[in-house]
């Protein structure tokens, strides 16, 4: 399945789970009502009283389930960071100099640059010696990846990259939203059992032997029994769904890294070390069990396990694996636990997690191409759409090389919450000495204060000398840091960026991409639950916006009006075969697109796939892809929540 098929499958899985949840709730309410009716009959109540009690019990039961579900969902509404915090994880400073954390940050940033998704926030479970990890969130913008301290210390770089690739596949495949919904649904059912238990503990004993106490006692007992039975079966459903997605994530991780050694090595270490992948905190292990890389707790029944057996996972990746190897691994790691950094040193990696000259896996910076590779030829529209939401080994090598090419000072400024906003602002400022520079700084000072204006001015020389192909990647690294600021600052920042973009009377393609990418990310971060829904709109409903977008892309890279007309005509007819395509114009295209992004983002997955293919027609009609076209194409896809990796030369 490609990215769009995964989106449809995720929506289908969500609908099935909601249906099963409704069936479970109806069954539970029916049985609890039956218990209430029996209890009232025991009291020899008249039929009208029985009816009133049953109605009341139904209402209370539904309120308890809904309250438990809503309370948990609201608590996790802020996405991945809220889930990580709920299990006691500690956020990682992206500028940390700790060798283990620096290696983790580098791997994630490289994968982010390669895949076209914002770098997820990183968390560590500090007191967990087992090897495990999970990704949580609603959208890539609010995604968080949490790893255990055991994974950081015991996995080498290739193994850690395999685990992170596994978690990135959950982000790209849309699994995270479903995972959070599972937590909420399960909590609603669990609360029924807990309520019944509490009533029995604190209220069921008073008058429990009399006829007056019998109804309450029987209803509470039914709630407790049915609630815990419901949780039991809900956990079985959760485990079955999780096992299926774990197979897919393993396969995707291999596709991303184009090598199985890293992922196999991580799984073998889990099998060999005493702590395995289990979490010490039983509550955390239960709540996020379906999200984890490995089993968070030991399961005594295969159908209750959230992950396929370790031996089966390893065998699927390495057919030559002999399960008897596990005994040798246990003996080896029983004497001495693995040391990931030491293994890296032997493989030629530096303590910071980058390749050294001895065993460099990353090509020299000079080989880095621009986004999509300036001058790229021979890309079909179908190939572009198929690349959405996926990675290849070449993409990862490109992301690593791109990460290494960004000047360290610029990368440090972009990845610090205190300087990320100033770094983005500096990219849009005119050079000192230009009359426009002073007016732009005055605008920054008016909205964000003199300190932020001075910080941005100090970074102009660092940021404006960056090559064109490094500007948007730097923005990609900086954007995730903006969510740490209060809402008032984020709102003011958007106003500043818009003013800077139009300060010279026109808006370049780069300026438009930066301002809208920042806007979209902050919208996602502010309300990830609402912004993560899979759409169902049709192309006919957004036709005016589609024509503007295709015209903009056609004009962006065309050398003359006739080339632009041909590119636009080919792209438009791919979506609307009967369309009469007038010569494209770029008049007020920014305003037209701004009004239409919500509609494009709300398209059904199949319609989005067709639109991405049409956009690819517009930018490849002349056989090449310019930097401006590449930036606009990737930005347009990002605004529709379609992550697109760079297409390499």
């Amino acid at each position: 399945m490609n990215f769009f098929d995964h989106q449809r499958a995720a929506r289908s899985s969500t609908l099935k789970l909601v249906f099963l949840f409704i069936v479970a709730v109806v069954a539970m309410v029916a049985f609890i009502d039956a218990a209430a009716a029996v209890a009232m009959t025991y009291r020899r109540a008249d039929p009208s009283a029985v009816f009133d009690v049953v109605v009341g019990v139904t209402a209370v039961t539904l309120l308890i389930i809904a309250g438990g579900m809503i309370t948990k969902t609201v608590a996790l509404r802020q996405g991945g960071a809220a889930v990580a915090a709920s299990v006691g994880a500690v956020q990682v400073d992206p500028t940390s100099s700790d060798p283990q954390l620096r290696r983790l940050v580098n791997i994630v940033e490289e994968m982010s640059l390669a895949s076209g998704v914002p770098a997820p926030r990183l968390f560590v479970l500090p007191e967990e010696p087992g090897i495990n990890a999970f990704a949580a969130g609603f959208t890539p913008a609010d995604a968080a990846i949490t790893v255990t301290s055991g994974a950081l210390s015991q996995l080498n770089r290739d193994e850690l990259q395999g685990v992170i690739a596994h978690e990135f596949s959950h982000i790209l495949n849309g699994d995270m939203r479903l995972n959070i919904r599972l937590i909420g649904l399960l909590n609603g059912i669990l609360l029924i059992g807990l309520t019944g238990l509490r009533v029995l503990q604190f209220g069921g004993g008073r008058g429990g032997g009399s006829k007056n106490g019998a109804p309450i006692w029987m209803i509470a007992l039914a709630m407790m029994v049915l609630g815990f039975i419901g949780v039991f079966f809900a956990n079985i459903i959760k485990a079955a769904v999780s096992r299926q997605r774990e197979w897919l994530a393993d396969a995707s991780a291999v596709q991303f890294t184009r090598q199985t050694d890293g992922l196999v090595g991580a799984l073998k270490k889990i099998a060999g070390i005493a702590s395995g992948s289990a979490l010490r905190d039983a509550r955390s292990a239960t709540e996020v069990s379906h999200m984890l890389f490995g089993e968070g707790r030991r399961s005594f029944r295969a159908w209750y396990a959230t992950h396929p057996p370790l031996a089966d996972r390893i065998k699927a990746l390495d057919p030559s694996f002999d399960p008897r190897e596990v005994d040798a691994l246990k003996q080896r790691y029983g004497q001495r636990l693995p040391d990931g950094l030491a293994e890296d040193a032997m493989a030629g990696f530096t303590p910071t997690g980058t390749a050294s000259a001895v065993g460099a896996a990353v090509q020299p910076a000079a080989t880095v191409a621009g986004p999509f590779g300036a001058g790229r030829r021979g890309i079909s529209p179908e190939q572009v759409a198929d690349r959405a939401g996926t990675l290849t080994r070449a993409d990862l090598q490109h992301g690593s090389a791109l990460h290494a090419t960004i000047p360290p000072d610029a990368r440090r400024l972009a990845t610090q919450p205190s300087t990320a906003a100033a770094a983005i602002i500096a990219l849009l400022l005119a050079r000192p000495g230009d009359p426009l520079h002073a007016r732009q700084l005055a605008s920054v000072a008016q909205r964000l204060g003199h300190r932020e204006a001075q910080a941005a001015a100090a970074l102009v020389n660092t940021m404006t000398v960056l090559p064109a192909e490094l500007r948007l990647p730097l923005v990609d690294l900086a954007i995730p840091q903006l969510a740490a600021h209060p809402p008032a600052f984020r709102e003011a920042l958007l106003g500043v960026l818009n003013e800077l973009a139009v300060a010279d009377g026109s808006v370049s393609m780069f300026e438009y991409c930066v301002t809208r990418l920042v806007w979209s990310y902050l919208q996602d971060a502010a309300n990830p639950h609402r912004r993560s829904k899979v759409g169902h709109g049709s192309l006919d409903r957004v036709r005016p916006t589609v024509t503007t977008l295709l015209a903009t892309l056609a004009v962006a890279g065309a050398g003359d009006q006739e080339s632009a007309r041909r590119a636009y005509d080919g792209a438009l007819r791919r979506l609307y075969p009967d369309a009469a395509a007038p010569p494209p114009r770029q008049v007020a295209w920014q305003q037209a697109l701004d009004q239409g992004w919500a509609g494009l983002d709300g398209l059904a997955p199949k319609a989005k796939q067709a639109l991405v293919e049409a956009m690819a027609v517009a930018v490849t009609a002349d056989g090449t892809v310019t930097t401006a076209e590449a930036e606009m194409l990737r930005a347009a896809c990002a605004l529709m929540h379609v992550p697109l990796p760079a297409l390499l030369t």
Side-chain angles (χ1 to χ4, degrees):
M1 293 192 294
N2 64 15
F3 170 78
F4 306 98
D5 292 329
H6 283 305
Q7 282 200 317
R8 291 196 295 272
R11 181 169 61 183
S12 176
S13 297
T14 299
L15 292 175
K16 289 177 182 176
L17 281 173
V18 170
F19 173 75
L20 290 173
F21 176 75
I22 292 173
V23 170
V25 168
V26 170
M28 291 172 64
V29 170
F31 280 110
I32 293 172
D33 286 348
V38 170
M40 294 302 293
T41 302
Y42 175 74
R43 290 187 58 191
R44 294 187 175 87
D46 59 78
S48 62
V50 173
F51 177 79
D52 291 341
V53 169
V54 167
V55 170
V57 169
T58 299
V60 170
T61 303
L62 291 175
L63 283 174
I64 292 173
I65 294 174
M69 182 184 68
I70 293 172
T71 300
K72 194 65 176 181
T73 302
V74 169
L76 302 177
R77 209 174 180 86
Q78 292 307 308
V83 177
S86 73
V87 297
V90 178
Q91 187 162 1
V92 174
D93 178 2
T95 62
S96 172
S97 59
D98 178 272
Q100 292 180 355
L101 297 179
R102 186 70 253 156
R103 182 182 60 172
L104 173 66
V105 170
N106 285 343
I107 289 172
V108 172
E109 288 181 352
E110 291 165 9
M111 205 164 288
S112 173
L113 291 175
S115 64
V117 301
R121 278 171 283 186
L122 298 176
F123 292 80
V124 172
L125 287 167
E127 303 298 330
E128 293 290 353
I131 297 174
N132 225 320
F134 68 88
F138 287 99
T139 70
D142 77 297
I145 291 180
T146 301
V147 299
T148 59
S149 57
L152 287 181
S153 63
Q154 296 172 94
L155 299 181
N156 61 43
R157 195 182 202 276
D158 281 345
E159 293 163 350
L160 187 60
Q161 186 186 62
V163 171
I164 297 301
H166 177 103
E167 299 309 324
F168 252 79
S169 76
H170 286 309
I171 296 174
L172 294 170
N173 292 337
D175 293 336
M176 297 188 303
R177 179 183 173 86
L178 182 60
N179 285 337
I180 290 183
R181 284 202 168 193
L182 277 170
I183 294 177
L185 295 177
L186 195 61
N187 195 68
I189 296 176
L190 176 63
L191 195 58
I192 284 290
L194 292 176
T195 301
L197 179 62
R198 293 294 180 267
V199 171
L200 287 176
Q201 287 177 334
F202 300 109
R206 292 195 295 267
S210 68
K211 290 185 177 181
N212 291 331
I216 296 177
W217 184 87
M218 292 184 68
I219 293 171
L221 180 62
M223 291 175 67
M224 183 189 73
V225 172
L226 291 171
F228 291 131
I229 289 175
V231 169
F232 174 75
F233 284 105
N235 274 321
I236 291 177
I237 295 171
K238 180 180 75 171
V241 172
S242 176
R243 287 195 299 270
Q244 183 180 16
R245 291 201 307 273
E246 290 306 311
W247 283 122
L248 175 62
D250 281 351
S252 296
V254 173
Q255 176 187 349
F256 294 170
T257 59
R258 279 296 185 268
Q259 53 99 3
T260 61
D261 291 347
L263 195 58
V264 168
L267 293 171
K268 285 183 176 180
K269 284 183 177 177
I270 289 175
I273 65 173
S275 52
S277 58
L279 300 184
R280 286 179 171 176
D281 187 336
R283 183 184 63 84
S284 299
T286 299
E287 187 165 272
V288 299
S289 60
H290 59 297
M291 299 183 179
L292 295 169
F293 173 74
E295 286 283 357
R297 55 181 183 171
R298 300 187 188 279
S299 300
F300 297 100
R301 295 288 186 272
W303 35 263
Y304 210 61
T306 55
H307 293 67
L310 266 177
D312 291 351
R313 292 176 71 181
I314 298 173
K315 191 77 173 177
L317 299 170
D318 179 12
S320 65
F321 171 70
D322 185 346
R324 289 175 295 184
E325 291 180 37
V326 173
D327 293 332
L329 290 172
K330 288 181 178 179
Q331 184 177 4
R332 174 184 172 187
Y333 295 141
Q335 297 173 351
R336 183 176 182 180
L337 287 174
D339 185 333
L341 290 179
E343 292 176 16
D344 285 345
M346 293 181 62
F349 286 97
T350 66
T352 57
T354 56
S356 69
V358 177
V362 176
Q363 298 300 315
T367 65
V368 177
F372 293 89
R376 169 76 187 196
R377 296 178 179 273
I379 309 172
S380 73
E382 293 78 11
Q383 287 175 320
V384 173
D386 285 343
R387 294 294 304 284
T390 187
L391 285 171
T392 66
R393 182 64 178 173
D395 291 327
L396 284 179
Q397 289 177 334
H398 174 73
S400 298
L402 195 61
H403 188 265
T405 305
I406 297 175
D409 287 345
R411 189 170 69 243
R412 176 179 55 81
L413 293 166
T415 54
Q416 287 188 131
S418 60
T419 55
I424 294 176
I425 291 171
L427 286 169
L428 301 184
L429 290 175
R431 298 296 296 272
D434 188 320
L436 186 62
H437 180 78
R439 296 203 306 271
Q440 289 178 319
L441 285 181
S443 176
V444 176
Q446 182 180 4
R447 286 184 175 268
L448 295 176
H450 290 285
R451 175 182 291 182
E452 199 69 36
Q454 292 172 351
L459 302 182
V460 171
N461 290 333
T462 301
M463 296 299 167
T464 55
V465 298
L466 288 173
E469 64 269 16
L470 297 182
R471 297 178 303 174
L472 272 188
L474 192 76
V475 172
D476 288 338
L477 294 179
I479 285 178
Q481 317 310 320
L482 303 179
H485 292 282
F489 180 92
R490 300 198 298 259
E491 190 68 26
L493 175 63
L494 290 175
V496 164
L497 295 179
N498 287 332
E499 288 181 2
L500 296 182
V502 301
D504 60 355
S506 64
V507 179
S508 69
M509 198 67 70
F510 172 72
E511 290 170 335
Y512 185 80
C513 291
V514 170
T515 56
R516 274 40 179 187
L517 286 174
V518 172
W519 168 81
S520 180
Y521 180 89
L522 293 180
Q523 290 287 311
D524 285 353
N527 196 349
H529 180 265
R530 182 179 64 84
R531 297 269 295 178
S532 62
K533 297 178 180 178
V534 178
H536 50 77
S538 68
L539 286 167
D540 289 334
R541 295 177 59 183
V542 294
R543 187 162 177 163
T545 307
V546 168
T547 56
T548 301
L549 176 59
L550 296 180
T552 302
L553 289 169
V555 171
D560 55 72
Q561 188 173 0
E562 180 58 25
S563 298
R565 189 199 64 78
R566 287 196 303 269
Y568 174 70
D569 183 68
L572 190 63
R573 290 185 185 279
R574 188 179 184 92
L575 296 179
Y576 310 106
D578 59 343
R585 298 178 181 178
Q586 262 191 309
V587 178
W589 59 273
Q590 301 98 331
Q591 293 87 340
L593 288 179
D594 287 346
Q595 295 171 4
W597 285 122
L600 296 182
D601 187 32
L603 288 172
K606 198 69 176 177
K608 280 188 182 180
Q609 180 176 357
L611 179 55
V612 171
E613 291 176 359
M615 289 192 292
V617 170
V619 301
T620 60
D622 59 355
T624 64
V625 180
T626 67
T627 298
E629 288 175 308
E631 288 178 344
M632 187 61 194
L633 179 58
R634 280 193 97 181
C637 287
L639 291 169
M640 296 190 299
H641 293 96
V642 178
L644 197 65
L647 307 182
L648 307 177
T649 54

